[in-house]
C-alpha cells in the first residue's frame, strides 16, 4: 500500500486514539506517540500500529498517534482507516482483516 497523502482517523475522546498517517520519503515506519499511559502501554500501542501497517503492506509512513486509553481493537481500526484514506483506497476487505492476529 502506497501512502499518497496525509490522513486522520479517530478522535481525542476518552477511550479512543487519533491516528495520523503521513507519506514518508524514508523507508520504514516511524511512530510518534503521545499517551498518558505511555509508560505502561506505549510499547504495545506502537506494536499494534506497526503490525497493522505491515499487514497492509505499507513500506514507508510517518505516523502520529494521540492515545486517550484506546483498546488494541480500536487502535487497529483507526490505523486501518487512516492508512486506507492516506492511500486513497475506498474499499476494505474486512474478512481478511478479521483473520489477522495482531
Amino acid at each position: 500500500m502506497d501512502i499518497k497523502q496525509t490522513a486522520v482517523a479517530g478522535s481525542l475522546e476518552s477511550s479512543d486514539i487519533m491516528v495520523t498517517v503521513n507519506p514518508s520519503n524514508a523507508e520504514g515506519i516511524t511512530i510518534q506517540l503521545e499517551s498518558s499511559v505511555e509508560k505502561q502501554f506505549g510499547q504495545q500501542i506502537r506494536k499494534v500500529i506497526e503490525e497493522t501497517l505491515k499487514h497492509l503492506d505499507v513500506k514507508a509512513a510517518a505516523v502520529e498517534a494521540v492515545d486517550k486509553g484506546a483498546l488494541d481493537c480500536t487502535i487497529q481500526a483507526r490505523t486501518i482507516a487512516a492508512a486506507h484514506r492516506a492511500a486513497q483506497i475506498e474499499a476494505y476487505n474486512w474478512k481478511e482483516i478479521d483473520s489477522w492476529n495482531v
Side-chain angles (χ1 to χ4, degrees):
M1 180 180 292
D2 184 33
I3 302 301
K4 300 175 183 177
Q5 65 184 20
T6 297
V8 180
S11 72
L12 298 176
E13 298 293 321
S14 181
S15 300
D16 203 353
I17 186 169
M18 182 180 288
V19 177
T20 305
V21 176
N22 300 291
S24 176
N25 293 330
E27 188 70 20
I29 297 165
T30 60
I31 301 170
Q32 181 181 1
L33 175 64
E34 179 185 323
S35 175
S36 60
V37 294
E38 186 166 358
K39 288 184 181 183
Q40 296 93 342
F41 300 108
Q43 185 176 359
Q44 177 64 17
I45 295 167
R46 285 184 179 86
K47 178 184 172 193
V48 172
I49 293 170
E50 188 170 354
E51 294 283 323
T52 301
L53 292 174
K54 284 181 180 180
H55 277 291
L56 293 171
D57 200 30
V58 173
K59 303 286 189 224
V63 179
E64 299 168 24
V66 181
D67 173 58
K68 298 294 182 178
L71 298 174
D72 287 358
C73 58
T74 303
I75 297 166
Q76 185 181 38
R78 299 306 190 204
T79 303
I80 291 167
H84 277 81
R85 290 172 184 169
Q88 298 176 332
I89 297 172
E90 295 181 15
Y92 295 53
N93 183 350
W94 288 111
K95 289 184 179 183
E96 175 186 322
I97 292 168
D98 191 41
S99 69
W100 295 351
N101 193 11
V102 177

